[in-house]
Amino acid sequence: MYCKTFMTTIKNLIRSAVFWLAFVVFAVITIYGASEGFYIGDNAPDMVLKYNDFVECVTNSIVAKLLMYSAPIFTVITVVLILHRDYGDSFFEIEKAAGISLFRYLTGRLTALIVVNFVVLFFMNMLCLHYYVITRGGVDGMSVSSYLWESTIRLLRVDIFVGMPCILLYIGLTYCVGSIFKNGIPAAIVSMGYAIAFYASYLMFRRRIADVYFEYLSPIPKKLRGFFQWYDTDRFEMGLEHYQTSLFDVTLCIGFLVGVGILLAVISFLRTRKRTV
């Protein structure tokens, strides 16, 4: 039953015109963000992209260009699409009458959403970084093969450890609100509202809000992204000192985001259990 629910969820997403429209818009925003660049002077015709600039751009790509608002909003849309089908086509009621395992049903739904959103996030992060690097003439001193190998490893690392906890938070929040109200519209309002509020507060109020929120409890904790900024380079120790972060801080940040996501999933489970045939 788990596999059936998993595959059905993925099929419902990829057959949706709204999903592909959101995907195209996400890609356009990503390319536009990459074309804008990451720091002053990187659009100059004589700009030379150094290795250390490339390493820094890997994290900037996912944090500054994707996770601030575009990736969370895309994630919310995918969850809302599934919630709409879930409460609109009576699929659950039919399966429940046949003796479905609620745990397998819910984990199948959530796992499919996690897989699809991770794949899309990784693709968009590659698109953003590669478009940026190509339009700047490549990385100085790096061959194409070494660039592709190292960029893939670094992208996977930040997508897994920085991107996925953020995505899990939004998946859990959206699905939970949808389960409570038995409707995807309130879920979209709450989750998109939170994503927009975070983005606005980061731009305008981050110096007025307690540091502990942006450093540990926000969807993109500063301590978490700072740890991976210079990971596996000779600047790593300098980066730890600059961001005042450590492996313990990383564990706290990931534990909080994943823990909240799991808690929201448990609430969704309890609410879904009360659904009647």
Side-chain angles (χ1 to χ4, degrees), residues 14-276:
I14 62 178
R15 291 175 180 174
S16 170
V18 175
F19 173 84
W20 291 110
L21 176 61
F23 182 88
V24 171
V25 172
F26 191 5
V28 171
I29 293 174
T30 299
I31 292 174
Y32 177 75
S35 66
E36 281 188 311
F38 296 109
Y39 54 90
I40 297 174
D42 63 354
N43 280 317
D46 58 347
M47 182 262 185
V48 177
L49 186 63
K50 302 294 186 180
Y51 175 77
N52 286 329
D53 298 326
F54 149 69
V55 171
E56 191 172 10
C57 286
V58 172
T59 306
N60 287 341
S61 172
I62 189 172
V63 172
K65 304 301 182 180
L66 302 180
L67 294 181
M68 279 295 172
Y69 67 91
S70 55
I73 289 178
F74 178 83
T75 299
V76 171
I77 291 173
T78 61
V79 180
V80 170
L81 286 173
I82 294 305
L83 287 169
H84 177 71
R85 291 296 301 268
D86 202 18
Y87 288 95
D89 62 5
S90 300
F91 177 74
F92 174 78
E93 282 74 10
I94 294 172
E95 297 296 336
K96 187 175 181 179
I100 183 179
S101 165
L102 175 57
F103 178 78
R104 292 180 181 177
Y105 175 84
L106 189 60
T107 54
R109 287 289 205 212
L110 294 176
T111 305
L113 286 166
I114 291 170
V115 169
V116 169
N117 279 284
F118 178 79
V119 171
V120 171
L121 179 67
F122 182 64
F123 172 82
M124 293 300 175
N125 207 4
M126 285 196 301
L127 177 64
C128 184
L129 180 68
H130 295 338
Y131 183 88
Y132 175 83
V133 171
I134 290 172
T135 53
R136 272 70 182 179
V139 181
D140 186 45
M142 288 189 75
S143 65
V144 174
S145 59
S146 62
Y147 163 75
L148 290 175
W149 171 256
E150 184 162 348
S151 64
T152 300
I153 297 299
R154 292 189 177 279
L155 287 169
L156 277 172
R157 183 186 296 139
V158 296
D159 285 346
I160 292 172
F161 293 105
V162 180
M164 278 312 300
C166 176
I167 295 304
L168 287 172
L169 174 68
Y170 283 103
I171 290 176
L173 176 62
T174 309
Y175 207 98
C176 179
V177 175
S179 299
I180 291 173
F181 290 96
K182 299 181 181 180
N183 194 299
I185 295 178
I189 293 173
V190 172
S191 298
M192 288 188 182
Y194 178 66
I196 294 171
F198 166 72
Y199 181 58
S201 64
Y202 182 83
L203 291 180
M204 297 181 289
F205 307 116
R206 67 178 180 270
R207 291 182 176 84
R208 302 180 186 179
I209 299 176
D211 290 341
V212 67
Y213 173 72
F214 287 109
E215 291 185 350
Y216 292 97
L217 308 178
S218 73
I220 322 170
K222 183 179 178 181
K223 299 287 187 181
L224 178 57
R225 68 178 189 262
F227 184 86
F228 292 100
Q229 184 79 64
W230 300 106
Y231 191 87
D232 198 22
T233 70
D234 56 3
R235 294 190 176 187
F236 180 59
E237 294 298 330
M238 179 196 72
L240 295 182
E241 183 178 349
H242 175 75
Y243 287 101
Q244 297 183 336
T245 186
S246 65
L247 183 59
F248 178 72
D249 292 321
V250 169
T251 304
L252 285 179
C253 294
I254 294 178
F256 173 77
L257 291 172
V258 174
V260 171
I262 292 175
L263 176 61
L264 293 169
V266 170
I267 296 174
S268 300
F269 175 85
L270 296 176
R271 291 294 302 176
T272 306
R273 189 172 61 178
K274 295 183 178 180
R275 288 177 64 175
T276 56

